[in-house]
Amino acid sequence: MRNRAAIAVPAASAAVAALLLSAPQSQAAAGPDRPARCTEKALTLRAKAVPGHPTVLRVSVTNRGTRACVVDRVPTVTFGNLDGAALPVPEGGTGTYRLPARGTAYADVRTIVNPRDPEARRVDAVTVAASAAHWGRSFTAARLGTGRRVLVWEPVTTWWQRSAAAADRGIGLS
C-alpha cells in the first residue's frame, strides 16, 4: 500500500501541473479579482486619422463581452510590410490594461514627425491589435483618411487610455 501512495501522489501532482501548464493563458491567469485575457473575437478595433493631424491615428478597442477582460497595455501597431511596430510612449509598455464589459479604450499613434522627412517610408495599410498574440485588423490608408499612403518613420503609440482626449494628451496633441 505504501508503494502505491508513493507513486500516486507524485503522479497526481504531475497531472495537475500538466493541466495548469496546458490551460490557455487566459484561463491560467484568471482569478476572482484578475480578469481573463480578452479573446480577439470579443473585441472591435477601429482606427482613423485624427482630424487636422493626418500623421496621427486614433485607434480604439471595444470589449463587446459581458465581463471585463485584459489586453496588452499598449496596442501592437504594424505598418504594411515594414519590420517592427510603433514604440510605446512612455516607455515600459509591458503589462495589461483592464477593459470593462462594453468598455472602450483609446490610443494615438504618431506615424511620422515630419511628413517631408526624406527617410519616410510609405505603406498601404496599418494593422492594429489589442494584444501581441492577436492577428489584429488591417486598415487601408484610404480608410484611415491619410490619402493614398501612410507615411512612416520612427512611429510611436500611447498606452491605452480611458478617453480619446487622454490619448491626445499622451501624444502631445493638446
Side-chain angles (χ1 to χ4, degrees):
M1 199 58 144
R2 235 179 169 165
N3 288 340
R4 283 189 189 175
I7 294 171
V9 171
S13 297
V16 169
L19 283 174
L20 289 174
L21 291 173
S22 66
Q25 193 174 21
S26 61
Q27 293 173 2
D33 55 345
R34 203 181 321 173
R37 284 223 166 248
C38 298
T39 62
E40 190 164 11
K41 67 182 179 180
L43 302 175
T44 299
L45 289 162
R46 292 184 178 85
K48 198 78 169 162
V50 173
H53 300 279
T55 62
V56 178
L57 308 176
R58 177 164 304 123
V59 298
S60 67
V61 60
T62 300
N63 175 6
R64 295 186 322 271
T66 58
R67 295 184 180 189
C69 58
V70 295
V71 294
D72 290 348
R73 182 179 293 163
V74 176
T76 300
V77 183
T78 57
F79 302 88
N81 60 354
L82 300 177
D83 289 342
L87 297 175
V89 174
E91 292 181 18
T94 60
T96 58
Y97 179 88
R98 186 179 187 278
L99 196 55
R102 311 273 191 257
T104 300
Y106 303 86
D108 279 2
V109 180
R110 183 177 310 281
T111 62
I112 190 169
V113 174
N114 178 3
R116 293 185 195 122
D117 189 331
E119 298 286 335
R121 302 293 186 254
R122 289 156 178 78
V123 296
D124 296 327
V126 173
T127 301
V128 179
S131 292
H134 294 171
W135 286 101
R137 180 175 172 199
S138 291
F139 300 89
T140 63
R143 184 177 192 121
L144 292 167
T146 62
R148 292 184 345 185
R149 304 281 185 151
V150 177
L151 295 175
V152 182
W153 188 251
E154 297 180 342
V156 294
T157 183
T158 64
W159 296 10
W160 290 115
Q161 304 291 325
R162 292 184 181 178
S163 69
D168 288 352
R169 285 189 302 274
I171 207 90
L173 287 184
S174 54

